[in-house]
Amino acid sequence: MTNHLFDAFRSRMPAPERLLLEADDGRSLTYGDMLARSAQMAHALLQLDVEPGDRVAVQVEKSPEAALLYLACVRAGSVFLPLNTAYTLTELEYFFEDAAPRVIVCDPSKAAEIGRLVEASGAVVVTLDRNGQGSLADQASRQSSDFHDVERGSDDLAAILYTSGTTGRSKGAMLSHENLASNARVLVDCWRFSADDVLIHALPIFHTHGLFVATNVVLMAGASMLFERKFDPARILSLMPRATTLMGVPTFYVRLLQQEALTKDAAGAMRLFISGSAPLLAETHRAWRDRTGHAILERYGMTETNMNTSNPYHGERRAGTVGLPLPGISLRITDPEAGEPLAQGEIGMIEVKGPNVFGGYWRMPEKTKAEFRPDGFFITGDLGMVDTDGYVHIVGRGKDLIISGGYNVYPKEIESEIDALDGVSESAVIGVAHPDFGEGVTAVVVRKPGSAIDAGDIADSIAGRLAKYKHPKRVIFVDELPRNTMGKVQKNLLREAYKDIYAQKG
Ligand code: MLC
Ligand code: AMP
């Protein structure tokens, strides 16, 4: 039997007694445990009537078993659909309706509510908690630890990851076995991962960074990881002597730099620090080098494409750039409107093509068509330029998007919630430089005449509806929003007017 992605991991698997992961509660998994226990979980999924191509939606806390569940889904031939643990029921409802999962795995505390939500759909709800307990785990424990992986080819779907849309509805990016396998292979080679590596894994495992960059690279290298449920800078520092690499969003590095104990000695055992998901400020890059002697390696990717570019392992890691296109991946800069390639050095739309690029959005052929060029290049929505040495610089976004602590927040989604409130005439949500999160979600609101609605009312009204990280850190009331002659809100003026509001905050 061939299962394209799992075979790729299997072919590079070290001896079964080698450590795959050690969790912060002391539990650990060897590669042998991983094979046996993901087999048991795969059996459990088949018993729930999961057929090849069926979606398995997963909203669970990070744990060794949550990682096993991902692999079990791959082995069972299903499509893994991870969901941010911060999503509210309102948010989940959309994903369940759109993806029509066969099975939903959630924390026991949410099982009843989710069960009610999907009652009519026929989806089966099973549970898995942060300690690896729950009805799915019970069922798995009774299964054989031998499993014939379900046959899946390179183009078959391995996962769907939702990414919010600029105009409202979230889109499910469909990632194939080869999208994931090819990118993991390339990253292992470019970043020189080997079985001797120990990665500090403190990212969530429901997004590309923690799941496909971190976990897949470790599996593809036969390496091991220290699996942390939360990012705690003091704890990360204490792990460094036992580790070789760290992957993080810029906020990780900003917070680690606030630790006095971060020194060259403290980072002495580490060989590589990698940053991505949001722009790393050149000043953070420099401060890190001064304190630790290491140049952070910055790379650029997205849900739809996995990783596209990376600064070199050997050679100059240039602060403020995202490095060079990865081997096998083509990148070009085009005129955002006309789509014509621009001359080297000009700023335009970043487009990419390669085995990493997803097949399209789940059940959205029109949106898919709109984001690909006829020759197969994917239009990223990021604006950038390529310098004379080939390094890619991201200079802005063509999409109205805020990235806060590595999480994407789409202003439109929050504006719709705020605009729907009695007492609000209109709103504009913007990202403002924030020393900790990179950008702070900020709402600028116009009240209806006579209304006394305040920031507290707005916070209360969205509390149960939107995930916490999307909530505005600040709400500013104004008499009117600035508009251009076409009537479009000029968010650039708002960003300029409020650019210092978080300056003193940590
Ligand atoms: C938490 N909060 C956030 C937030 N994370 N607010 C805005 N932005 C965020 N990212 C909220 C909390 O709910 C809390 O609210 C308050 O802010 C302070 O919380 P905290 O304890 O300081 O946050 P913490 O739990 O430490 O989380 C911060 C973080 C986390 C940076 C560790 O956000 C994180 O793990 N980010 C990584 C995201 C990620 O993996 N992105 C990759 C996407 S893939 P209150 O009100 O309760 O105080 C991708 C592709 C690619 O982009 O290229 O990689
Ligand atoms: P997501 O949709 O969560 O996968 O987020 C992808 C987006 O994050 C990209 O389109 C970029 O805008 C941004 N991004 C990822 N890595 C970087 C980086 N190193 N520098 C700047 N932006 C980045």
Side-chain angles (χ1 to χ4, degrees):
M1 288 281 184
T2 58
N3 180 292
H4 190 77
L5 179 58
F6 200 73
D7 286 354
F9 294 143
R10 205 192 271 277
S11 69
R12 301 198 178 193
M13 221 166 264
E17 64 276 10
R18 292 287 297 237
L19 185 74
L20 168 60
L21 69 80
E22 183 184 307
D24 49 9
D25 60 4
R27 292 188 302 142
S28 61
L29 288 179
T30 62
Y31 274 87
D33 297 332
M34 181 277 280
L35 274 181
R37 293 188 57 197
S38 63
Q40 290 182 305
M41 262 196 204
H43 278 297
L45 291 174
L46 295 198
Q47 284 196 346
L48 295 168
D49 292 334
V50 169
E51 305 263 352
D54 277 352
R55 277 75 57 213
V56 176
V58 176
Q59 191 197 39
V60 298
E61 295 293 334
K62 186 175 178 182
S63 70
E65 289 74 15
L68 291 173
L69 177 54
Y70 157 54
L71 294 172
C73 286
V74 173
R75 298 183 71 180
S78 63
V79 179
F80 185 63
L81 197 167
L83 294 161
N84 194 321
T85 46
Y87 289 151
T88 63
L89 275 186
T90 314
E91 290 166 309
L92 291 177
E93 189 172 9
Y94 169 77
F95 298 121
F96 295 151
E97 240 176 69
D98 191 59
R102 168 81 203 123
V103 170
I104 298 168
V105 188
C106 66
D107 192 80
S109 64
K110 289 197 178 167
E113 288 169 311
I114 290 180
R116 277 193 293 278
L117 206 62
V118 298
E119 211 164 3
S121 75
V124 182
V125 180
V126 289
T127 60
L128 189 67
D129 72 11
R130 54 169 47 225
N131 301 310
Q133 306 293 317
S135 61
L136 180 67
D138 290 346
Q139 195 154 347
S141 68
R142 295 191 289 271
Q143 309 300 318
S144 159
S145 51
D146 281 327
F147 182 78
H148 292 291
D149 298 339
V150 172
E151 193 153 344
R152 294 273 88 184
S154 52
D155 292 340
D156 284 322
L157 281 194
I160 294 179
L161 265 64
Y162 275 86
T163 146
S164 299
T166 37
T167 50
R169 300 195 339 129
S170 279
K171 302 167 288 185
M174 300 192 289
L175 294 150
S176 71
H177 279 237
E178 177 61 2
N179 290 153
L180 304 182
S182 67
N183 212 236
R185 251 187 241 114
V186 163
L187 296 177
V188 165
D189 292 346
C190 286
W191 296 340
R192 307 292 191 272
F193 266 77
S194 77
D196 294 330
D197 272 306
V198 179
L199 171 79
I200 301 177
H201 189 309
L203 290 156
I205 54 168
F206 40 69
H207 286 313
T208 297
H209 199 162
L211 188 61
F212 299 142
V213 190
T215 307
N216 281 1
V217 162
V218 164
L219 285 163
M220 200 62 101
S224 49
M225 50 190 163
L226 304 175
F227 214 54
E228 298 291 298
R229 269 174 296 195
K230 250 197 87 68
F231 173 75
D232 171 353
R235 164 116 183 132
I236 302 299
L237 267 175
S238 75
L239 294 176
M240 282 188 191
R242 300 173 47 209
T244 61
T245 52
L246 171 71
M247 291 183 192
V249 294
T251 302
F252 280 22
Y253 294 101
V254 169
R255 291 187 184 181
L256 281 164
L257 277 164
Q258 288 160 4
Q259 300 283 312
E260 269 177 32
L262 179 75
T263 58
K264 282 198 173 65
D265 276 352
M270 299 287 285
R271 70 170 182 89
L272 182 61
F273 293 94
I274 302 174
S275 176
S277 306
L280 181 78
L281 293 181
E283 71 185 62
T284 309
H285 190 278
R286 277 192 288 275
W288 192 267
R289 200 170 39 202
D290 291 347
R291 284 278 283 285
T292 69
H294 286 276
I296 297 173
L297 182 152
E298 185 171 7
R299 59 44 171 196
Y300 157 61
M302 56 193 301
T303 305
E304 288 92 334
T305 64
N306 287 298
M307 298 305 101
N308 294 312
T309 71
S310 171
N311 270 278
Y313 188 77
H314 295 297
E316 190 192 351
R317 297 179 196 162
R318 212 169 270 186
T321 82
V322 292
L324 308 145
L326 289 163
I329 296 172
S330 311
L331 182 147
R332 70 185 181 196
I333 307 290
T334 61
D335 180 297
E337 263 78 57
E340 295 301 322
L342 295 175
Q344 185 271 316
E346 287 194 61
I347 294 172
M349 179 62 71
I350 300 177
E351 299 186 3
V352 293
K353 186 177 175 180
N356 57 316
V357 177
F358 76 134
Y361 296 111
W362 173 253
R363 291 181 178 166
M364 287 187 178
E366 292 307 316
K367 281 218 167 9
T368 302
K369 208 167 149 218
E371 297 196 22
F372 279 91
R373 299 288 181 204
D375 60 359
F377 273 82
F378 173 63
I379 306 165
T380 62
D382 292 310
L383 300 175
M385 69 99 161
V386 180
D387 69 21
T388 44
D389 298 322
Y391 285 71
V392 178
H393 299 235
I394 297 180
V395 298
R397 295 179 202 132
K399 47 196 174 191
D400 191 13
L401 160 70
I402 300 168
I403 305 184
S404 169
Y407 284 136
N408 285 9
V409 179
Y410 281 86
K412 179 89 190 142
E413 190 182 9
I414 304 158
E415 289 160 3
S416 306
E417 290 287 336
I418 297 178
D419 292 352
L421 299 177
D422 276 348
V424 169
S425 165
E426 59 175 348
S427 65
V429 170
I430 52 172
V432 173
H434 189 287
D436 185 34
F437 290 122
E439 289 179 279
V441 176
T442 306
V444 186
V445 177
V446 181
R447 292 187 181 99
K448 278 197 179 131
S451 154
I453 192 165
D454 64 16
D457 299 328
I458 291 178
D460 290 346
S461 68
I462 58 175
R465 296 181 57 81
L466 296 179
K468 201 92 183 257
Y469 67 88
K470 299 178 185 173
H471 295 191
K473 301 271 179 225
R474 201 73 76 82
V475 179
I476 295 157
F477 291 94
V478 295
D479 292 336
E480 59 180 357
L481 297 175
R483 291 183 186 279
N484 64 15
T485 47
M486 310 289 287
K488 195 170 171 332
V489 176
Q490 290 175 296
K491 288 195 170 179
N492 53 334
L493 295 185
L494 292 174
R495 280 190 285 266
E496 178 59 26
Y498 301 112
K499 67 179 192 303
D500 294 325
I501 57 171
Y502 299 111
Q504 299 310 315
K505 294 214 126 188

